[in-house]
Amino acid sequence: MRRLGLLLALIASASGAGAQTIIGYPTCAAGEAAYRAAPHDATRDLASVHTMTTDGFGARYVGPTGRALRTEGIGTTTILSDGGLAWRPRTDAQVVERCPGVVRVLRDLNTGQGRGLRLAAEVGNETGDPGPLRYLDPSLPNVDKIGPDYEATLSLGSSLTSVRWRDFLPTDPAIAPRVFDAVEGRFPKRKGLVGTSTLDLYPLMVRVDGLVAEDLPFEETLGREVPTLRRHLGAEVVGWAGRTGYRARVSGAWLDRPSWSALEVPGPNWQEASADLSITRRFRPVQIRTFARVRPMWASGLGLADGSVLWGEVGTERAPGGILFYGARLSAGPSGIGGGVDVRPRTAALGPVSISALARADRQLPEAVPGLPFWVSRGYAGLASEATPLALEGAPRPVESFSLNATAERLWAEPPDLLRWRQQSVWLRAEVDVEARQGETVLLPSFQLVEDAIAVGGPVRAVPAQGAAASAEIAMRFSRHNVVFDAPPRTFTRAEVWTRTRLVLAGDNAFRAARDREPAVRLGALAEHSPDGKLNLRARLEWRSATHWEGWPEPDVPAALLLDLGGEYTFGAFTATLTGRNVLGAPEQTHPLGATLDGRLFVRLAARLGG
C-alpha cells in the first residue's frame, strides 16, 4: 500500500474485568489492558487469533463465530470474539484472556506497584508514502506521519490513573476515496482521549473510565467507514467480604452522527445504559464456587421499538485440582433459557507427557451479547442504507455449540548449571479442537462496486449457520536464561516455532463462508535475545494462507510472508523501542476492501519517573 504512516500506541493498566457495549458488542473498559502499536499489529504475536483491518489501525476479530460486525476503534483495547466461548486463546506470560478477548501484556507495563509517573510517546510511518501534500490538506503542518500519540500513567501503590491520546489518519489510497466521500468540511481522522482511574480502597477496588473520540470505524453491513462521535463513561466497584465476592458496574455509551458526516445513513445515533451486577461465593475445603449475575440494559436509537434487555445467569464450578473439574451455568432472557456445562478430567501423565482434555456444551442467548442484527430485529434503523439493505432471515437465535479439546505437553528442562549460572529448557505442545455449532448469525453480502468504485452496493443477508470445524496447533519453544536467585534473568534467549491449521468438517454455505475469511494455515517462528537485560532484540516470521470473502468485490485475499524485527534498549529511567513490521515489504492485506500494507516503522520513547 502507498499510505500515510500509521498509528501510535497505547498503554493502559490491567485491573478488573469490566465491560462496556457499543451497539451491543462488549469491549474492555478504557484502561483495561495494554499493548503497543495499532490494535491490528498488536495481535500479530497471537497464533490463535486472526484479525482483519481495512485502514491498518482498527482490528476486528475473524474467527469461528463468523459474525461480521465488530466494534473497533479508539478506546477499544481488546480484540473481540463475540462475547462467547467460541475460541480460547493461549494463556501464558504474554497473553491473558479477559472480558472476553485477548490482550497483550507488556513486560514493562506499570501495573500499579510502587509510586511513580510513566510518560510515553510513539510515532509510526509506512514505507512507500505517496509524498507531501498528496492526500492531506495543504494547511496541515505534517503530511507523512501519524501522531505522535501520548500517554501518562500516575501510580500510587496499587492505585493509578492513566490518560492516553490517540491520533490516526485513515488516508490509505485503498480507502481514501471512501473516507473523503464520507466527510465534508473537514479532514477525516480517528482521534480521541481515553482515561481511567483505579483506586485501591481495600477490600474495595473502585474504577472509573471514560472516552471521547471522533472516529471512522468500518461497518461491514455498509461496506464503508461511518463517521461517528463516540463517548463512554463507566464506573465499577469490585470487592470481597470473607468468601463472598461482589462486582457492580454501570456504564453509558453514545454513538452520534457528527455534523461533518456526508453519508446518507441517518445514524448511528445510538445511546445505551447498562448495569452489570454479580456475586460469587467460595466454599472450602472442596473449592466449589457459585455465582449469580444480572445485567439490565436500556438502549435507544432511530426506529428502535424496544430497547430494554434483561439477562441473568447463575452457575457453579469446582476448582481444578481434584479428579474432575466441572462447571455448570444457567441463563435466562427474553429469548428463553440458555446455559452450559464444562467437564475437564484431571491432567493425566503418560510418562513425561501430560495430557489434558475439555468437553464443553453451551447455549448462548442472543441477548447475552446483543449485536447489530439483534437490534435491527427490534426495529433499529440508524445504519439503514438503500444502497446496502440488510435483510434478516428471522430474529437472531440462541447459538448452540459442543466442543472437545485435547492437549498434550512435554517439557525438557536441564538442571541449573551453577558454574555458568545458566538454565535451559525445551517445551513442546500439541492441541486439537473440534467444535459443532448451530444458530450463529453470519452476514452474507452481495456487493458490487458503485459510484466510480468509491463504495459498494448490494443486499446483505443475516442468516443462521450451522456446521462443524476442527483446528490443530503444534508449538515448540526453546528457552535459555541466566540463573540468579531472587533476580529476574538479565540475559536470555528464546525461540519458538508453531503451526496452526483449521478444517471445516461439515456445514452449510453460510458456515463455510464465515470460516473462509480466516487463513486455513498459519506458520510462524519467533526469536528473542537479550545479552545484558538492557538491550532486547526480537524477530518474528509468519506465513499465512490466502482467504476468501464471498460476496465482496475481488473476494480473494492473497497469502503473505511477514517478517517483523524489533529492538528495545533501557537506559536509566528511559526505554527506547524501534519496531519494524513487514520489513520485507510483502503485500499484506486482510480484507478485500482494505489497505495493502507495506513495511511499517514505529519509534517509541518511554520514561518512568520515581517508584
Side-chain angles (χ1 to χ4, degrees):
M1 130 183 179
R2 300 289 182 269
R3 94 167 170 64
L4 276 171
L6 165 84
L7 127 274
L8 304 89
L10 104 102
I11 264 199
S13 322
S15 65
Q20 70 185 63
T21 53
I22 303 292
I23 305 195
Y25 275 88
T27 66
C28 284
E32 178 68 28
Y35 42 68
R36 69 183 47 163
H40 169 65
D41 282 311
T43 63
R44 291 272 280 267
D45 295 335
L46 306 178
S48 58
V49 178
H50 176 66
T51 59
M52 77 85 175
T53 183
T54 56
D55 59 8
F57 177 78
R60 298 188 182 197
Y61 174 66
V62 179
T65 62
R67 295 184 178 180
L69 176 70
R70 293 290 178 267
T71 297
E72 46 86 15
I74 294 173
T76 300
T77 53
T78 66
I79 306 307
L80 309 180
S81 59
D82 67 344
L85 297 171
W87 60 289
R88 293 170 296 282
R90 306 290 73 79
T91 301
D92 57 25
Q94 295 276 321
V95 183
V96 296
E97 182 180 3
R98 76 175 62 223
C99 87
V102 174
V103 294
R104 177 167 173 78
V105 180
L106 301 181
R107 291 186 306 275
D108 63 349
L109 176 63
N110 184 344
T111 57
Q113 302 301 317
R115 299 171 179 267
L117 176 65
R118 178 183 177 83
L119 304 173
E122 183 168 345
V123 63
N125 203 1
E126 182 174 5
T127 61
D129 273 326
L133 308 182
R134 181 169 177 181
Y135 293 117
L136 301 187
D137 185 334
S139 65
L140 296 178
N142 185 283
V143 296
D144 281 8
K145 69 178 182 178
I146 305 301
D149 281 3
Y150 301 101
E151 64 192 54
T153 300
L154 176 63
S155 175
L156 299 174
S158 54
S159 301
L160 60 86
T161 298
S162 179
V163 178
R164 299 174 312 283
W165 169 260
R166 308 189 73 176
D167 197 340
F168 177 75
L169 287 77
T171 53
D172 185 278
I175 67 172
R178 293 199 306 268
V179 296
F180 277 98
D181 183 64
V183 302
E184 59 183 0
R186 57 162 291 164
F187 190 78
K189 268 199 171 187
R190 304 186 70 172
K191 61 181 180 180
L193 184 67
V194 181
T196 182
S197 183
T198 301
L199 183 62
D200 185 0
L201 301 174
Y202 183 81
L204 295 179
M205 184 72 74
V206 180
R207 186 180 63 186
V208 295
D209 52 80
L211 173 152
V212 179
E214 297 179 357
D215 212 355
L216 272 167
F218 181 80
E219 173 51 54
E220 293 273 353
T221 61
L222 301 176
R224 66 180 309 160
E225 291 72 17
V226 179
T228 304
L229 291 178
R230 190 189 299 267
R231 290 172 293 161
H232 163 78
L233 183 63
E236 180 180 17
V237 177
V238 179
W240 281 91
R243 297 179 184 178
T244 302
Y246 49 89
R247 172 180 170 269
R249 178 171 177 80
V250 293
S251 64
W254 299 262
L255 295 174
D256 296 321
R257 174 189 171 96
S259 59
W260 40 271
S261 175
L263 294 186
E264 50 95 10
V265 296
N269 291 347
W270 175 267
Q271 303 84 37
E272 71 176 46
S274 64
D276 197 329
L277 312 173
S278 63
I279 186 170
T280 301
R281 175 72 176 177
R282 298 184 184 275
F283 297 90
R284 296 176 180 175
V286 292
Q287 293 297 313
I288 292 178
R289 182 179 77 97
T290 61
F291 63 89
R293 180 183 180 191
V294 61
R295 190 182 66 216
M297 180 177 178
W298 304 268
S300 64
L302 182 64
L304 186 61
D306 182 7
S308 62
V309 175
L310 179 62
W311 175 85
E313 184 179 45
V314 295
T316 183
E317 66 180 26
R318 189 185 191 282
I323 297 176
L324 187 71
F325 161 81
Y326 64 85
R329 54 201 173 274
L330 182 68
S331 61
S335 62
I337 302 298
V341 176
D342 300 340
V343 178
R344 185 196 300 271
R346 184 169 59 183
T347 300
L350 295 180
V353 180
S354 61
I355 298 177
S356 59
L358 171 67
R360 170 176 286 145
D362 190 69
R363 189 174 195 263
Q364 180 179 278
L365 302 180
E367 54 267 28
V369 193
L372 182 60
F374 177 88
W375 297 113
V376 170
S377 70
R378 292 191 171 194
Y380 174 64
L383 293 176
S385 170
E386 294 183 359
T388 57
L390 174 62
L392 302 181
E393 296 188 5
R397 62 185 65 177
V399 178
E400 299 172 343
S401 64
F402 177 77
S403 64
L404 293 172
N405 175 277
T407 303
E409 296 178 297
R410 169 71 191 273
L411 176 66
W412 295 267
E414 294 184 357
D417 185 343
L418 299 182
L419 295 178
R420 300 182 182 180
W421 295 94
R422 188 184 69 186
Q423 185 177 26
Q424 62 185 31
S425 61
V426 176
W427 174 78
L428 177 64
R429 184 177 188 275
E431 178 183 358
V432 177
D433 190 276
V434 179
E435 182 178 37
R437 297 172 63 84
Q438 69 173 6
E440 67 181 25
T441 300
V442 174
L443 298 182
L444 296 179
S446 297
F447 285 156
Q448 294 181 342
L449 291 174
V450 296
E451 299 179 8
D452 298 326
I454 290 179
V456 295
V460 181
R461 295 185 300 130
V463 303
Q466 63 180 7
S471 64
E473 181 176 334
I474 300 176
M476 176 177 284
R477 179 184 304 161
F478 168 82
S479 176
R480 173 187 291 176
H481 58 83
N482 69 327
V483 181
V484 179
F485 299 105
D486 299 325
R490 292 187 176 88
T491 65
F492 63 85
T493 300
R494 301 188 185 102
E496 182 176 354
V497 293
W498 57 269
T499 178
R500 183 173 180 84
T501 183
R502 61 158 183 84
L503 175 66
V504 175
L505 303 176
D508 53 26
N509 291 336
F511 185 89
R512 294 178 182 273
R515 273 70 190 172
D516 287 343
R517 299 169 186 170
E518 62 172 328
V521 179
R522 295 176 64 188
L523 305 170
L526 173 70
E528 191 173 13
H529 176 67
S530 177
D532 56 7
K534 296 181 178 180
L535 176 64
N536 186 6
L537 303 175
R538 194 165 184 271
R540 184 179 188 276
L541 181 68
E542 178 187 344
W543 180 83
R544 59 180 62 159
S545 62
T547 60
H548 179 79
W549 296 69
E550 181 180 337
W552 292 83
E554 301 180 2
D556 293 316
V557 175
L561 180 65
L562 307 173
L563 175 63
D564 298 341
L565 299 176
E568 182 177 272
Y569 186 71
T570 299
F571 46 101
F574 296 91
T575 300
T577 306
L578 185 66
T579 304
R581 298 285 188 180
N582 189 17
V583 297
L584 297 178
E588 180 186 353
Q589 187 182 21
T590 58
H591 190 277
L593 294 185
T596 301
L597 306 175
D598 285 338
R600 306 181 293 287
L601 180 65
F602 303 97
V603 179
R604 175 184 176 84
L605 182 62
R608 190 190 301 271
L609 309 177

